[in-house]
Amino acid sequence: MKNALIHDGLAKGLREGVKALDKRQALLCVLAKNCSEANYIRLVEALCNEHQIKLLKVEDKDELGEWVGLCKIDKEGKPRKVVKCSCVVVKDIGVDSEAWTVVQEYIKSKGANI
């Protein structure tokens, strides 16, 4: 996620995420399981299924917000003021890294939608 963030390859939130999914620019969609709005989850899942985009679900939207840089980092290197994020779409990974390869292998081993 950090490489994609550096190369401006992330769409964060419902509006940006749905636009990227609908334009088929997405390589991967990450959705938080603890999203408070059920319609939000159904919309993102439906768009991913319609356009055959891989969907990865994570447990916590606070953690997802931290992963995509929606926080402040203090002097000790700990995240502060984390903004919750329920959906992130990866549009561009920047450079191909070992982490991206691991994510792709995990998705292949678990099936299309996780």
Side-chain angles (χ1 to χ4, degrees):
M1 290 259 190
K2 296 292 181 189
N3 282 341
L5 181 62
I6 291 168
H7 289 90
D8 197 33
L10 293 180
K12 299 170 264 189
L14 179 65
R15 184 179 176 91
E16 289 180 26
V18 168
K19 281 183 183 180
L21 290 171
D22 207 29
K23 291 179 182 178
R24 296 185 174 128
Q25 296 174 334
L27 301 172
L28 173 70
C29 180
V30 184
L31 182 65
K33 290 180 183 176
N34 67 344
C35 179
S36 57
E37 187 64 42
N39 290 333
Y40 184 78
I41 293 172
R42 278 186 268 158
L43 173 65
V44 172
E45 287 176 343
L47 284 171
C48 287
N49 286 334
E50 181 180 338
H51 301 306
Q52 287 99 29
I53 296 167
K54 306 295 185 202
L55 177 66
L56 182 66
K57 293 185 179 177
V58 296
E59 294 298 322
D60 190 27
K61 56 187 173 184
D62 287 320
E63 188 175 20
L64 187 57
E66 184 181 328
W67 289 353
V68 297
L70 295 175
C71 63
K72 300 282 184 189
I73 306 295
D74 66 6
K75 293 176 184 176
E76 291 86 37
K78 296 181 182 179
R80 302 280 183 223
K81 297 183 181 180
V82 178
V83 177
K84 298 173 184 172
C85 185
S86 295
C87 178
V88 174
V89 175
V90 179
K91 301 184 293 184
D92 178 22
I93 59 166
V95 293
D96 199 12
S97 66
E98 184 179 340
W100 180 247
T101 307
V102 170
V103 169
Q104 286 180 318
E105 289 174 7
Y106 177 78
I107 291 171
K108 285 179 187 175
S109 70
K110 296 294 183 179
N113 292 329
I114 304 166

